Structures are given as C-alpha cells and as structure tokens.
Amino acid sequence: MHILFVDDDPDIRTLAIRAVLQEFQDAAVNQASDLVFLERALHERAPDILVTDLDLRWTDGFAVFDRVKAVNPHCCTVMFTGTGNEELAVKAIRHGFDDYVVKGTHQLRRLAMAVRAAHDRNQELRRHSENRELVLKELYHRLHNNLQMVISLLRMTEKTIESERDRVQLADLGRRIQALSALQEEFYRSDDFRRVNVAGVLDRLARNLVKLAGGHVALSCDLEQAEMQVDVAVPFGLMVNEIITNALKHAFPDGRSGRLSIRLARAQERLDLTITDDGAGDPGCMGREGSGLGMRLVRRLADQIGAEVSYERNATGTTCRISLPT
C-alpha cells in the first residue's frame, strides 16, 4: 500500500499522515508540497491512495487528481481541504473523488475513516469488476462454442436434404450464424467487452466467405483500425455478411473467377465501408429494389443502426457503400 499526501502546509500533512496511518499501519507514505515533489513521487511509484488539499499555491486538487489518475486509474482519492461548502463537495464527487472531508484537527479521525471506507469500497468494486469480466469472458466463450455446434448440425442436416432450394436456404442460414460466430470470437479476444475491433471482424468474415465460396475469387482488404460498440457491431457485421455473400453468389456465377475489394475508412464523423466486385452480376438482385431475404435483412439492419446503404453498377462491376455515424 502506497499513500500520497499533497498539501502546502507541512503541519497539516504531518497530522493527516499520522491519522491515516492508524488505519493503514504498514503503508508506505510519500508527500508533495509542490509540482517538483509531485512529479518525483509519481515517478517513483504510482500511489494506491491520494489525499490532497484543494487550494494549492502551485495548482489545485482537481489537477492533482487528474495527474494521479493518469498514472493509476484505480487510485482511491480523498479531498481534505479547508474550503468547505456543499457546492464544492458535489463538484469534487462529480469529478471522481471518492470522498470529501473538511479540514480541522477534530476532523482527523473522520479523515482516516473516510480514507479507509473509500479504499475498501474501491477494492470491492474492483473485485466485482474482475469477476464480471471473467463471467462475461466465459459466457462469450460458451456462446461461441454453441454457435459452432449449431453450424456443424446445420451442415450435417444440409447433406441429408434432397431439395436443392432447401439446401441453399439452409446453407445461407449457416453462413449467417457463422458471421455471428466470428463476431463472438472477436468479443472474446477483446479486452473491452463493450467494444470490438471491427476491422478484425470484417477481415476474418470476408476471408471465411471467400473460402466457403470455393476460393476462386481474389480478396483485397484495406481496413482502417476502428472500434465499434457491440450493439452496433453485430448488425453491421450481419449486413456485411449478406452483401459479400450476395456478391459472391451473383457476381461470380458458375465458379467464375474475379476480384472482391473491401475498404474501411473514416470520413469526418462517419465510418465508410466500400465493397466492390468486378463480376458480371445480376442487376435484379442488387440495390434497394432487391426483394430477397438478404436484401430485406440489410435494409432492416441499416435502419436499426442509422446506416446509409447505396449501390452502383457499371461495366466493370458493382459497388456497395455503407456509411454510418461514429
């Protein structure tokens, strides 16, 4: 345990240290009376607990808080100041301080109890956070495994169906579930379960689809690294799955070779994805006029996440553009 005390007044610092150490007898202590000593203390070791005054001749307690949190985001923080009113207390708590104590010799015991309570509460929250992350990681792992099992069952069932039309529909369903599985795998690998590296998802998804289509289409990916909220990444990934599947099916019929290019780039406050093929294509299956299940699904998912989808066909192939706000 390492505690940092920041105060201009050496007498107040001494009294505060003495009081707090009654609760943390084995803690190491460091002090800072100016910016030089603060930077030196932070360079030596990131504190686990910060006790700081508000009004300092060289800065203020909020700036000290920000500097310490930049070194250790999990540091427990208590403001101990003679400038006391309800408005300032609210401001300190909103800024992120765990507690606020008004200075005074009769408040030293209150300071020690506040630091102990804040530290224990901070530790409990960290334990809950770590447990939550472990549970989420296990859930993602199990869901990924279950999706793989469903895909295997669909492929086994597909082989037993005589109707070509029914086999195609079942294979399409399997590809959609495979897209979900690729997303879940990316969530599992991510350090932050709320966001996902969408470039990694698109690269893996596109390569899997090209491989499943027979590998006769050359794939080119130019994907800018971009993170996306999970609740946006899932429908976005499913949209891309439908569009790539549609291109592979209709732009390159009967095993025709060709090239499929995918580009992801930021443009101001939007994220733009371009999918271009140089195949023959069937004009009736492209664009918003498409009536197939895949195109209806794309339109519905686009509306869900506020994305704009457009198609352009010319003599050299077809281009689909997806643009969504970031």
Side-chain angles (χ1 to χ4, degrees):
M1 181 67 62
H2 181 217
I3 308 176
L4 173 62
F5 292 83
V6 181
D7 200 305
D8 290 332
D9 190 328
D11 294 331
I12 293 294
R13 284 204 314 272
T14 300
L15 292 173
I17 291 170
R18 185 180 302 166
V20 172
L21 286 183
Q22 292 178 7
E23 291 289 333
F24 301 91
Q25 297 179 4
D26 297 327
V29 172
N30 214 334
Q31 307 177 48
S33 57
D34 57 34
L35 181 59
V36 173
F37 279 101
L38 175 62
E39 292 298 331
R40 183 182 301 170
L42 296 179
H43 179 72
E44 290 176 0
R45 180 178 174 182
D48 301 298
I49 297 174
L50 167 69
V51 178
T52 182
D53 192 3
L54 171 63
D55 292 324
L56 301 160
R57 288 188 297 270
W58 43 281
T59 187
D60 61 50
F62 295 110
V64 172
F65 172 97
D66 294 339
R67 183 68 187 88
V68 170
K69 283 288 190 176
V71 176
N72 178 14
H74 302 295
C75 181
C76 173
T77 55
V78 175
M79 180 178 285
F80 187 48
T81 180
T83 307
N85 58 58
E86 291 183 359
E87 182 180 348
L88 182 58
V90 170
K91 181 180 178 182
I93 298 302
R94 285 182 174 175
H95 195 80
F97 278 92
D98 294 292
D99 210 339
Y100 172 97
V101 181
V102 178
K103 273 186 182 179
T105 55
H106 62 286
Q107 289 282 73
L108 292 171
R109 183 57 189 160
R110 164 79 176 87
L111 172 64
M113 294 174 63
V115 173
R116 165 56 71 183
H119 171 267
D120 292 348
R121 186 168 60 249
N122 185 281
Q123 291 295 101
E124 186 67 19
L125 288 173
R126 288 187 65 181
R127 282 194 292 270
H128 282 308
S129 177
E130 290 171 357
N131 290 336
R132 178 176 176 274
E133 288 181 0
L134 287 173
V135 170
L136 282 174
K137 202 173 186 68
E138 180 63 20
L139 286 174
Y140 277 134
H141 178 64
R142 292 189 180 186
L143 179 56
H144 178 261
N145 287 344
N146 289 339
L147 288 173
Q148 290 298 314
M149 185 180 299
V150 171
I151 292 168
S152 297
L153 290 172
L154 286 173
R155 288 174 179 170
M156 291 174 60
T157 305
E158 182 184 340
K159 296 178 181 178
T160 66
I161 295 177
E162 295 183 0
S163 169
E164 176 66 20
R165 179 175 178 274
D166 292 342
R167 282 201 306 271
V168 169
Q169 291 182 339
L170 199 61
D172 288 343
L173 177 59
R175 280 189 286 271
R176 292 179 179 115
I177 297 176
Q178 183 68 55
L180 281 173
S181 179
L183 285 164
Q184 290 297 330
E185 185 176 357
E186 199 67 32
F187 299 159
Y188 176 72
R189 294 179 178 183
S190 175
D191 293 330
D192 184 353
F193 296 123
R194 296 167 299 180
R195 303 182 67 85
V196 63
N197 175 20
V198 70
V201 172
L202 296 181
D203 183 79
R204 187 176 296 105
L205 178 63
R207 295 186 187 284
N208 286 340
L209 290 173
V210 168
K211 183 178 179 180
L212 287 172
H216 54 273
V217 175
L219 176 65
S220 173
C221 293
D222 179 14
L223 306 173
E224 182 176 336
Q225 296 297 310
E227 289 191 339
M228 189 178 288
Q229 293 284 352
V230 168
D231 56 354
V232 176
V234 171
F236 182 72
L238 290 175
M239 287 174 61
V240 175
N241 175 76
E242 295 299 326
I243 293 167
I244 294 178
T245 299
N246 187 78
L248 292 171
K249 181 185 297 184
H250 298 286
F252 309 105
D254 303 322
R256 172 178 172 171
S257 62
R259 188 172 188 83
L260 184 69
S261 300
I262 304 175
R263 184 175 184 271
L264 180 70
R266 293 186 181 278
Q268 297 180 347
E269 296 182 354
R270 302 188 72 84
L271 196 63
D272 292 335
L273 178 70
T274 305
I275 302 173
T276 303
D277 68 67
D278 63 354
D282 177 4
C285 73
M286 299 298 292
R288 295 190 63 85
E289 69 275 9
S291 59
L293 174 61
M295 290 300 100
R296 295 202 307 271
L297 183 58
V298 167
R299 291 194 292 269
R300 182 170 297 181
L301 292 171
D303 291 339
Q304 180 179 327
I305 62 176
E308 298 177 0
V309 184
S310 61
Y311 297 88
E312 178 184 344
R313 175 170 168 75
N314 53 43
T316 60
T318 303
T319 296
C320 173
R321 293 184 178 86
I322 304 175
S323 179
L324 72 159
T326 56

